[in-house]
Amino acid sequence: MTRVLAALLIAGALAACSSTPTKEQDGAPVEDRTGSVTPPAAPDKRDPGPVVATPMDRGVVGMDPLKDPGNILSKRSVYFDYDSNAVKDEFRPVVAAHAKYLGQNRNTRMRIEGNTDERGSREYNLALGQRRADAVKQMMQVLGASPSQIETVSFGEEKPRAPGSDERSWAENRRADIKYPGE
Amino acid sequence: MKSSIATLLRTFVLVVWFVLPAPARAALTVEIIGSGANQIPIAIVPFRAEDGMTQKITPVVAADLARSGLFRMVDAGGVVPVPYEPGDVNYPVWRARGAEAVAIGSIAPQAGGRYEIRFRLMDAAKQTQLVGIAYTVTEAQLRLTAHKIADAIYEKLTGDPGVFATRITYIVKRGPRYELQVADADGYNPQTVLASNEPIISPAWSPDGTRLAYVSFEGKKPVVYVQSLVTGGRQAVANFWGSNSAPAWSPDGRRLAVTLTKDGGSQIYLINADGSGNPQRLTQSSAIDTEPNFSPDGQLILFTSDRGGSPQIYGMSTTGSDPRRLTFEGTYNVSPRFSPDGKSFTFIQRNGGRFNVAIQDLATRQVQVLTDGAVDESPSFAPNGRMILYASGVKGRGILAGVSSDGRVKQRLVESSGDVREPAWGPLVK
């Protein structure tokens, strides 16, 4: 649920960004709710007491890092501008984290699924989605992943996450998703 | 698990294919908008003994001819005696009604539930027979026979082969379910040849009309399949690392041009239609090359490429040599399909925010935009080259539409439920 909410928030923020790029600079604080973990309560100033160290910032100990909502590896979507396959700066940390994970786990494979909005030829959009998936793969390769670990495929406009025919839906659907085996 | 699903699907396909053909059902109804410049006036006289039959012949013939936009139906009522044989025809009466031709005939039940249908087309001015054909058919073949009669009339009076007895394929999306369907050219007798909860796109007819190639996402990625319409059997013919899509048949039906990404980027390859052997790479670019389509003589392949910065239509030899750009108007030209005579191609052109069906003459490069919908997609020629079938987004729901290759006649095929897309008109079959 939280992930869905987080995805919606991110999508909303992105949709706003893509239509009015200057909004990124207005400094309005964005609530970060990507993690499901509540921040630790501020320590009581009057009575320091014994400090109990809990790794709250990295999520629950022993949880699969790919599924841990507090881990950047649980972020799986890279969004693109219209008619673009450039990986934007804001998604570099996500791509880098997965590249590092693949570098550390040489037997792990992933699939990157490219998607487009609904406008235009289905087959051409399939190729555009492929190009987006390939762009993410290329960045991961530069950052240490092996090409044989990553299969890139495209769904083109065929599997839209947002069903609408408006700018917000289109922005949500211009996306590459990172999937590990079994997902 | 996977094989049991496949078996289930195959069983489903077989059931649908062999059990349903008897009743004529129309899921698609055709509306005609616009008409040809010079309509041929013709009278279609109800055939003898047609009255008591469930599946009548002449209404289907008349509807076919009217739908083409090239004929005007002359009232055939109130003529006494009703002509069934050439000797019955009172030519001055028909000439007075403005008919240039009169179709007459009879239906006679035969042993074993069969019917003999005799049909003649008479020239009202010359008072001679233009064509006469007798058919012996089962009840299930009555509607097809009506289409064949319409084809004979169309060919005799226009000089082009008729395409009323051909079939079309398309995909219907109903909620989460995708159905690959085949129907008669008038939308009757829809058959589901594959149903899936994952998308199906890009169906393409084999040149002999017995197989369909298509792209299915049932394996969580695009894979090209070929399915027999005779047995229902299907086979993945392109399932390589990455994406596999955009199948196009070679005119001999032995090979498919497909788009693969196995070597990085979307590039066009040639594969055997039975999936054997290694793909032969045809394009060598760092751009997108996709949507291949063979010329009828098998010498050229049209395709979409953005190697020049925007998606445009290119042509190349079937070995991949001599690629050259063919479209120069606009910044978005995609989905090329050769005309059956190989002299022109239809494609989708974006103008402003609209996507429309256009046609370009190969020799003169003259372009004509034929439609004015908001989102028109997937054009394909009728096998006589006179009509182009395409998908059109109407109020957020896809319908099929047709436009004559001169832009004069427009049709809409409206599905009662569901979102219809990706049509392809099947070949002429003997």
Side-chain angles (χ1 to χ4, degrees), chain B residues 6 14 26 38 57 62 91 97-98 106-107 123 134 142 156-157 160 188 195 248 271 276 315 335 353 394:
Chain B
L14 289 173
N38 301 302
I57 299 290
Y91 291 102
R97 293 188 176 202
S106 61
I107 302 171
D123 185 318
L142 286 172
K156 200 71 205 175
L157 297 180
D160 293 317
Y188 275 73
I271 63 170
S276 67
S335 308
V394 171

Side-chain angles (χ1 to χ4, degrees), chain A residues 121 123 130-131 151 154 159, chain B residues 198 202 221 242-243 291 306:
Chain A
S121 145
E123 281 286 354
Q130 183 73 30
R131 189 182 264 170
E151 181 179 17
S154 179
K159 290 168 80 71
Chain B
E198 294 294 336
S202 307
K221 64 180 240 181
S243 298
E291 300 190 308
D306 67 355

Side-chain angles (χ1 to χ4, degrees), chain A residues 8-159:
Chain A
L8 287 173
L9 283 170
I10 292 169
L14 282 171
C17 291
S18 61
S19 51
T20 49
T22 49
K23 268 212 157 165
E24 276 176 4
Q25 272 91 342
D26 69 6
V30 177
E31 187 185 359
D32 181 9
R33 294 177 59 179
T34 34
S36 68
V37 180
T38 331
D44 192 326
K45 282 168 194 159
R46 287 164 301 182
D47 178 19
V51 175
V52 181
T54 28
M56 298 298 277
D57 58 331
R58 302 301 297 169
V60 183
V61 177
M63 195 170 178
D64 181 350
L66 298 174
K67 297 198 165 62
D68 176 359
N71 194 308
I72 191 168
L73 290 173
S74 70
K75 296 189 184 181
R76 303 300 188 80
S77 293
V78 176
Y79 292 85
F80 294 86
D81 288 336
Y82 176 63
D83 202 24
S84 168
N85 60 306
V87 178
K88 293 188 275 189
D89 285 347
E90 60 195 289
F91 298 106
R92 283 172 173 267
V94 175
V95 175
H98 286 281
K100 188 179 169 195
Y101 182 80
L102 288 182
Q104 291 166 344
N105 299 275
R106 285 293 175 192
N107 293 325
T108 298
R109 294 193 163 211
M110 79 161 54
R111 197 178 260 180
I112 304 175
E113 302 164 347
N115 295 272
T116 67
D117 68 37
E118 65 183 357
R119 294 171 290 176
S121 145
R122 292 178 185 276
E123 281 286 354
Y124 185 65
N125 281 342
L126 201 67
L128 286 177
Q130 183 73 30
R131 189 182 264 170
R132 285 178 179 154
D134 286 344
V136 176
K137 174 176 177 170
Q138 200 163 22
M139 184 175 279
M140 286 191 190
Q141 268 177 254
V142 170
L143 297 171
S146 155
S148 63
Q149 287 179 283
I150 308 166
E151 181 179 17
T152 53
V153 302
S154 179
F155 294 152
E157 63 177 277
E158 306 307 324
K159 290 168 80 71

Side-chain angles (χ1 to χ4, degrees), chain B residues 333-406:
Chain B
N333 294 302
V334 297
S335 308
R337 291 285 183 277
F338 263 108
S339 64
D341 66 5
K343 291 178 178 165
S344 61
F345 61 91
T346 182
F347 61 105
I348 295 296
Q349 182 171 74
R350 185 179 66 194
N351 294 298
R354 303 174 89 81
F355 297 85
N356 296 119
V357 178
I359 188 169
Q360 178 166 328
D361 186 283
L362 269 172
T364 67
R365 283 191 180 161
Q366 193 177 339
V367 175
Q368 187 186 357
V369 178
L370 301 177
T371 67
D372 55 7
V375 183
D376 298 331
E377 292 184 331
S378 308
S380 84
F381 271 100
N384 66 358
R386 291 298 163 202
M387 292 292 291
I388 295 164
L389 180 67
Y390 63 98
S392 188
V394 171
K395 290 174 192 150
R397 203 161 71 80
I399 64 159
L400 303 188
V403 62
S404 61
S405 47
D406 62 5

